[in-house]
Each structure stands twice: as C-alpha cells, then as structure tokens.
Amino acid sequence: MNKLRMALASLAFGLLAQSAHASVITVPNQTLTTNANPAATFNFLSPARNDILIEFTVSYDGTLGNNDFAVFYFGNSDGPNIGLKANCDSSCNNDLFVRMNGSNWLPQNYVNPSDIAPLPATYTLFGRLSKLGTSNNYNRFDLWLNPTAQEKASLTGSDAFASGNSGFNAFSSFGIRTANLNDITVNFTNITVTDVPEPGSLSLLGLAAAGMVAMRRRGARKAA
C-alpha cells in the first residue's frame, strides 16, 4: 500500500511539473504609431505545443484607412496572426480578422460586421490557436469579438476563423507587426496569452489525486 501511495504521489508530482509548463503571459499595453516588423517580440517560458489562447482589447485614434495593419503573430510574421487589417485591404468595411499564414485572406477570416469606430470605442478580441484532428501542426485559429463568458468557457460559436497548415508544431515566441499606420494610433491593451496544458495530463493528474484521496479514506476507515 505504501508503495502504491508513493507511486501515485510520484505521478502527481510529475504531472504537476509538466503542467507547470503551462503559462499565462501578461503583456504590457502597446501603443502603436509606426510601421515595424517586428514592432515587439515576446517569449514563452517554454515552447508552446498545445492550444494557445490570446485575449486583448483593440482601440484606435485617428482616421482608419485601407489596410491599416496591426496584429499579433505567432512564430514569425508569416505565421498565424490576429488583429486589425482595415477594410479587408480595400474590398469591404470589416476590420478585425484572423489568418493562419502569409498575406492572403478569405471572407471567413473576418468578423462580419467589424467596421470599428475610433476611441472611446474599444473591442475585445479572443482567439484560440489549435491543432485539430491528427495534425501535428497548428491548423485552426478561431476569433471571437467581445466574447461572452460562456463562449470563452466552451470555445464554441466563433465569429471568424482560419484553417490550413500553419507550418508550425510549436512556438517559442510571438510578436506584433504593424504596417500602413499613417495618421493613426492603434492601442492593444489588457493583453494575455495562455499556453494551455495538455488535456490528457490534467485528466491523469485528476485521477492520481482522486486515487490518493481514496487511499487516505481507506486508511482512515481501517484506523477507526
């Protein structure tokens, strides 16, 4: 019994250490006025290989023009990105989008409608970057605009999405890229990026913890 208890404790400790790789990164507020690639870069504590959640608030001051561009990207600026790409370049009135890679976009990449207004208006973006099916690479990016607590908990009902092979199976860093910002200031605030722990590890951790509790109760009954 003692050996089993020690084995369960060892399993729980190991899974806790593994889940400690999950991290929530709070990024300082960003005021973006110039064009840069990158405008800023940030590092994960360890390479992110599971779901990545990003949440931030977008606002701007000035006059929004065609293809004013300010995004968060993962891996490099050609990797998955999320944020502002005004007026679908120049072919629609929507401004907030998500894509897996490159410089192209599809209608479903844009939140419709998302013809955003200047300050004092603000807009909260919530994104989930994930690997669907048996893919080893990230292949889905969902975007919610002003999400509800239920949407964030269930990760359903996204307002826009991108799909396809990103070419990345892990990310060590993420950053910000800007372009075409003329006579405009873009603000990213309340920024968090979460590297979600592997669901299987959390389930095993729960089983290990439950096993240890059951053993304690059994030991208590014997002692009584």
Side-chain angles (χ1 to χ4, degrees):
M1 185 65 69
N2 286 337
K3 288 183 178 180
L4 180 57
R5 184 179 290 113
M6 290 177 64
L8 285 172
S10 178
L11 173 61
F13 181 82
L15 291 172
L16 277 171
Q18 181 177 346
S19 65
H21 290 168
S23 61
V24 179
I25 301 172
T26 301
V27 177
N29 292 343
Q30 304 289 313
T31 299
L32 308 167
T33 58
T34 59
N35 302 316
N37 181 17
T41 58
F42 313 94
N43 293 319
F44 287 102
L45 297 180
S46 61
R49 302 182 185 278
N50 304 306
D51 282 9
I52 298 171
L53 305 178
I54 179 170
E55 184 169 10
F56 61 103
T57 298
V58 178
S59 63
Y60 75 92
D61 214 356
T63 301
L64 199 62
N66 288 342
N67 206 26
D68 282 344
F69 185 83
V71 299
F72 278 98
Y73 65 78
F74 291 87
N76 60 47
S77 58
D78 289 326
N81 49 84
I82 180 173
L84 169 70
K85 185 175 174 68
N87 297 332
C88 307
D89 288 344
S90 60
S91 58
C92 79
N93 293 324
N94 296 320
D95 301 317
L96 302 175
F97 89 126
V98 63
R99 67 184 175 194
M100 290 306 300
N101 49 40
S103 58
N104 298 321
W105 58 271
L106 297 170
Q108 64 263 28
N109 299 155
Y110 272 87
V111 176
N112 185 17
S114 60
D115 186 9
I116 64 175
L119 283 167
T122 61
Y123 304 84
T124 298
L125 276 64
F126 178 73
R128 178 198 186 193
L129 184 56
S130 59
K131 302 174 183 178
L132 292 187
T134 59
S135 177
N136 290 322
N137 290 340
Y138 288 92
N139 63 353
R140 175 86 179 198
F141 209 163
D142 286 281
L143 166 60
W144 290 259
L145 174 60
N146 298 325
T148 65
Q150 173 61 28
E151 287 173 330
K152 290 168 64 175
S154 65
L155 298 176
T156 58
S158 60
D159 298 305
F161 72 93
S163 59
N165 190 346
S166 68
F168 291 91
N169 62 17
F171 298 105
S172 297
S173 64
F174 61 98
I176 297 173
R177 178 189 172 195
T178 57
N180 308 315
L181 298 185
N182 301 311
D183 303 319
I184 184 174
T185 298
V186 176
N187 307 294
F188 289 165
T189 57
N190 305 315
I191 308 159
T192 58
V193 177
T194 304
D195 171 17
V196 180
E198 185 176 0
S201 295
L202 292 183
S203 298
L204 287 172
L205 178 59
L207 288 173
M212 292 180 71
V213 169
M215 290 179 66
R216 289 195 188 100
R217 289 177 176 172
R218 184 176 178 181
R221 285 197 298 269
K222 286 184 175 180

